[in-house]
Structure formats: C-alpha cells, structure tokens
Amino acid sequence: DAMVIQNPRYQVTQFGKPVTLSCSQTLNHNVMYWYQQKSSQAPKLLFHYYDKDFNNEADTPDNFQSRRPNTSFCFLDIRSPGLGDAAMYLCATSRDLGRGRAEQFFGPGTRLTVL
Amino acid sequence: SQQGEEDPQALSIQEGENATMNCSYKTSINNLQWYRQNSGRGLVHLILIRSNEREKHSGRLRVTLDTSKKSSSLLITASRAADTASYFCATDAGYGQNFVFGPGTRLSVLP
C-alpha cells in the first residue's frame, strides 16, 4: 500500500544533542511537509519542499533544518534540541493541484522526548 | 494570522446524534480541508472543498463553505463511538502563503 512512513516512532534525546527524524513516501508526491504538534494543539507547519524547492515558514527557528535528497525521502534535523522542542513531529505529502495544495497524506508521527 | 477559530473546542454527544463543527478564517483561500486525528496518531484527510464550491458530501460527512462569511462547517450524521477524535480545518491560500490548521474540535461520542 502506498503510504508515508516515519522513523523512529519514538525518539528520546538529551538536551542539546542533535537528532534526525526521517520520513519516506511511496506515493511519489512532489510536495513534502514537516509539522510540529504539541499536546492538545494544532499541527504547526515548519517547512515544506516543492520538489527540491525548500520553503521555510517565517517563524520556524533556525534550530530546525531539513533535507530532501530525493523524491521519496525527507529528513528533519534538530541541531540543539531544547525542552520546548519536545513534541510530535508529523511528515505529510501531497500532489500539486496546480493552483493550491491537494489533500495531504500524513505519516504516523515521531514523538520526540528531550531529557 | 490567516486562521481564525474553530468552535466548539470540545463537543460531547451520544451515539446516533449529529455533530456539527465550525471553522472561521480571515483571508481569501483556494480551498479548505478537514482532517481527523485520533489520539497520538497522524492526521487523516476527510474532505477538501474548493473556494468555488458551497457543499460537499462524503458518506456521513457534509461540509459547507461560505466564502462571504469566511466560514465552513463539518457535519457528521449518525455519529458512532469510532468518530471520537479531534477534527481540524486547514486553509490553503496558495503557494507562498501559509497552510494553517485551526485549533481543532475534540469530539467525544458516547456509546
């Protein structure tokens, strides 16, 4: 089945220790997104790729970086995690509707704990 | 901010009843999307309604869009315990603009 896969599902890191979260997709969608979702809050878009074009949201901290080496994979790097970065990180993909975004397909998320 | 409010923030109903959730936004949009999220899981897309559409149906779901009032509603008919989840609307104002989720409505359907 075509899907969006995130690894790991649970990640524990120490304060200040770099961590990388990964996302892969078999849908062949050209747009990939990373969201941060804190408890009982809405997902907040961090950045997205339109093919290889990287689009950073204005309020995404510099501590967050992303890489998309090919269509299928996208990585989220947190360079120096702080306690406030503990959250669920969601990856999503979508087609391009030409004008506007199509529906997004989400992975199950990676829950990040920072000790 | 592009996004306004969703209401109610929480809704508790009995199985078999209808559930209505509302979403308001502030800017012009290309489309508006509704998603469901079960606790601790990823989001699942429910319906996308374009700015030139007024109503869409999918099974027990009905979505309306009023662009003059910048609002949308999601109606779930004959609710089931399995409908218990958080429901989010999200607005798309096109590339170069933020894609923003509303704060969500937590729906509890009691058996």
Side-chain angles (χ1 to χ4, degrees), chain B residues 6-11 21-22 85-88 103-107:
Chain B
E6 273 175 84
D7 76 273
Q9 291 186 348
L11 179 60
M21 289 158 266
N22 302 297
S86 291
Y87 291 83
F88 296 93
T105 294
R106 289 189 310 281
L107 174 66

Side-chain angles (χ1 to χ4, degrees), chain A residues 33 94-104, chain B residues 2-3 23 25 27-35 45 47-54 56 63-65 67 71-72 89-95 98-101:
Chain A
Y33 308 80
S94 73
R95 297 176 292 113
D96 169 28
L97 280 178
R99 180 175 177 270
R101 298 175 177 89
E103 61 267 33
Q104 296 185 25
Chain B
Q2 176 182 318
Q3 191 53 272
C23 167
Y25 57 92
T27 64
S28 296
I29 59 171
N30 286 325
N31 66 63
L32 185 144
Q33 304 176 27
W34 284 91
Y35 290 82
H45 178 263
I47 289 184
L48 180 154
I49 186 165
R50 290 180 168 79
S51 59
N52 61 354
E53 297 175 313
R54 292 296 166 259
K56 276 189 101 167
V63 167
T64 62
L65 178 64
T67 52
S71 68
S72 174
C89 69
T91 52
D92 174 33
Y95 290 109
N98 286 352
F99 183 80
V100 179
F101 281 86

Side-chain angles (χ1 to χ4, degrees), chain B residues 12-94:
Chain B
S12 186
I13 59 174
Q14 295 293 131
E15 219 168 13
E17 293 180 339
N18 296 342
T20 299
M21 289 158 266
N22 302 297
C23 167
S24 64
Y25 57 92
K26 294 179 179 176
T27 64
S28 296
I29 59 171
N30 286 325
N31 66 63
L32 185 144
Q33 304 176 27
W34 284 91
Y35 290 82
R36 183 186 75 229
Q37 186 178 33
N38 291 88
S39 181
R41 309 290 291 273
L43 282 77
V44 174
H45 178 263
L46 297 175
I47 289 184
L48 180 154
I49 186 165
R50 290 180 168 79
S51 59
N52 61 354
E53 297 175 313
R54 292 296 166 259
E55 189 170 308
K56 276 189 101 167
H57 296 255
S58 177
R60 293 183 297 112
L61 306 181
R62 181 173 78 104
V63 167
T64 62
L65 178 64
D66 186 335
T67 52
S68 67
K69 294 181 180 178
K70 292 187 169 57
S71 68
S72 174
S73 67
L74 169 67
L75 168 67
I76 304 174
T77 60
S79 63
R80 306 166 182 167
D83 295 328
T84 295
S86 291
Y87 291 83
F88 296 93
C89 69
T91 52
D92 174 33

Side-chain angles (χ1 to χ4, degrees), chain A residues 4-7 14 19-20 22 28 39 42-43 63 69-71 76 84-85 87 89 91 95-96 103-104 109-110 114:
Chain A
V4 181
I5 302 161
Q6 290 189 245
N7 285 305
Q14 291 182 331
V19 65
T20 295
S22 74
N28 204 32
S39 183
N63 197 25
N70 54 53
T71 300
L76 171 62
D85 297 327
Y89 290 88
C91 173
R95 297 176 292 113
D96 169 28
E103 61 267 33
Q104 296 185 25
T110 294
V114 181

